[in-house]
Amino acid sequence: MNMHATTLGRIAEHAPTMTEAQRNWRIAAIALLSTRFIQGFIYWGGGSRRFIYAPSKLDPSTPNWMANKFQTAMPGALFGTDHLISFMLTHFYLLYAGVILFSAAELIVGAMLMTGLLTRIAALCSMGFSVVPVAMLKRQGATCIDEWTMAACNLAVGASLLLAGSGAFSLDNVLLHRNPALAGKQWFHWASGCLPLPQTDGGFRTLAFAMLAFVVIFDVGTYSYYRGSVVTPFHGGPVSPTKHHLTLSQAALLPDGGVRFHVYLDAGTPEAPAHVVAAELLNGEKQPVAVWNATQLSKLPKTDFANDYAYNKFEPGPFGIRAKMGAAATVTLPAPTSGSIAGLRYIQLTDVDGQTFSATLGK
């Protein structure tokens, strides 16, 4: 007897009433057993780290608090999720509830996949856990493509598990064994993984191709967006993961001769802060008229920084003004000690790498 026939025969010993098609479904699901377990372990590990092994991630008083990571992810987030992140960062109770619920969902869904409980629902949830991080987090840092790779693979794995189910080695199968009437329930076929989906061959093929199209379009599309190399040359991404960038806006001269402007650190690595070492007022020919050097900037009081968010901030540092990724603030500079404010047109900041960023002054 060949291997295929032997496997079918062993399954048939435990399920003598199964059709050939049902046996084939179970064989396919059993073949994915290691994939299902590790997919579950990945998400269980993410939740368990926060609840058990690294609880500081859920503690708002520690540097590891998850809000800091969300804020660093805000620049470059896809599908408008940057606005969602911004809203949550300014509403603490919503943010905290969201972090707790998402972590708990990862823990529960991971356990469900490992044990094969309501496998298809768990697989669908795991697909969501792959889509959300790609949209919100995967442009970050020098390893962003490595992180994208894991999320892209998890999305494809989740789609495969949703279609194939969990097979005999699952709690779904235990539930069915204890309550055979579940086999006649449409919801159980769709939610669990021990029975085939209630589809004709044609219907299943259509569903499988639809899942394939979604996975390919999402994975290849986001890869092209972040790095090109599909139909366009390789590029560094719409938001640089390594090179800091400051966007200045709402710049205005104050009646006392000071300057107020909004600044947003919207690109760069979250591994190191940005340092602004000089601020200058420029005339219409973009010639400097007044300058605040690194020493003067480092001595600014914290009250001159009205930060938009309570986590990553703009603040005085040892080398001028320091900011962590995603920080945004309205900064007030005192009147310059020398130079005339007549004819001033621009405010310009210079970072430690010599990059300059400017905005036109209003009144």
Side-chain angles (χ1 to χ4, degrees):
M1 183 180 295
N2 60 33
M3 181 63 70
H4 178 70
T6 301
T7 305
L8 289 177
R10 294 185 62 185
I11 293 176
E13 292 176 5
H14 300 282
T17 62
M18 296 177 72
T19 65
E20 183 79 4
Q22 289 173 325
R23 294 189 184 103
N24 289 339
W25 271 91
R26 290 171 68 104
I27 291 171
I30 291 171
L32 290 172
L33 182 59
S34 59
T35 301
R36 170 168 63 84
F37 185 88
I38 295 302
Q39 177 84 337
F41 182 78
I42 288 171
Y43 291 111
W44 180 87
S48 64
R49 281 196 305 275
R50 295 178 209 127
F51 284 117
I52 303 172
Y53 303 107
S56 60
K57 290 178 177 288
L58 299 180
D59 185 351
S61 66
T62 69
N64 292 330
W65 164 228
M66 288 292 293
N68 297 300
K69 185 174 181 65
F70 287 150
Q71 190 171 344
T72 65
M74 188 166 52
L78 299 179
F79 312 126
T81 53
D82 54 332
H83 300 295
L84 173 62
I85 295 172
S86 177
F87 182 80
M88 294 181 68
L89 288 173
T90 56
H91 295 79
F92 173 77
Y93 293 107
L94 179 62
L95 172 66
Y96 192 75
V99 170
I100 294 295
L101 290 174
F102 186 82
S103 300
E106 281 194 313
L107 187 74
I108 294 169
V109 167
M112 290 170 67
L113 283 172
M114 286 191 292
T115 59
L117 176 63
L118 300 180
T119 307
R120 289 193 172 98
I121 288 180
L124 183 62
C125 291
S126 77
M127 293 176 67
F129 296 158
S130 299
V131 169
V132 171
V134 167
M136 294 175 61
L137 305 174
K138 297 310 179 189
R139 68 118 213 126
Q140 295 186 87
T143 62
C144 61
I145 286 300
D146 295 332
E147 296 177 354
W148 171 91
T149 300
M150 184 177 75
C153 289
N154 286 343
L155 180 62
V157 168
S160 298
L161 293 174
L162 190 152
L163 293 169
S166 55
F169 298 99
S170 65
L171 290 182
D172 287 336
N173 201 55
V174 173
L175 292 175
L176 180 62
H177 180 73
R178 292 185 175 182
N179 186 6
L182 289 173
K185 307 292 185 180
Q186 289 281 316
W187 69 264
F188 188 75
H189 284 256
W190 285 104
S192 72
C194 60
L195 293 172
L197 286 171
Q199 295 280 298
T200 63
D201 288 348
F204 178 78
R205 183 168 58 250
T206 299
L207 177 62
F209 280 126
M211 298 290 290
L212 172 65
F214 171 74
V215 171
V216 170
I217 291 172
F218 185 83
D219 282 353
V220 177
T222 53
Y223 181 84
S224 179
Y225 178 80
Y226 286 129
R227 287 296 181 266
S229 306
V230 179
V231 294
T232 61
F234 175 85
H235 58 74
V239 175
S240 173
T242 57
K243 192 174 182 180
H244 287 127
H245 181 273
L246 297 170
T247 295
L248 278 65
S249 62
Q250 303 172 32
L253 285 170
L254 302 178
D256 63 358
V259 182
R260 180 174 295 150
F261 58 91
H262 188 268
V263 58
Y264 178 29
L265 179 56
D266 56 6
T269 174
E271 306 303 324
H275 296 278
V276 175
V277 296
E280 298 173 296
L281 292 177
L282 310 180
N283 59 23
E285 287 72 40
K286 295 194 174 181
Q287 299 298 316
V289 175
V291 178
W292 294 266
N293 59 30
T295 301
Q296 292 170 312
L297 295 176
S298 66
K299 293 179 180 179
L300 292 173
K302 288 188 176 181
T303 53
D304 285 351
F305 298 85
N307 282 281
D308 293 4
Y309 309 107
Y311 310 103
N312 298 346
K313 297 180 178 180
F314 277 87
E315 58 189 358
F319 311 109
I321 297 174
R322 176 174 58 192
K324 294 183 179 180
M325 188 61 200
T330 298
V331 180
T332 302
L333 298 179
T337 56
S338 62
S340 171
I341 64 172
L344 294 178
R345 292 290 302 280
Y346 307 100
I347 173 71
Q348 178 175 280
L349 303 182
T350 303
D351 73 5
V352 70
D353 295 320
Q355 298 183 101
T356 58
F357 312 94
S358 63
T360 302
L361 289 168
K363 292 185 179 181

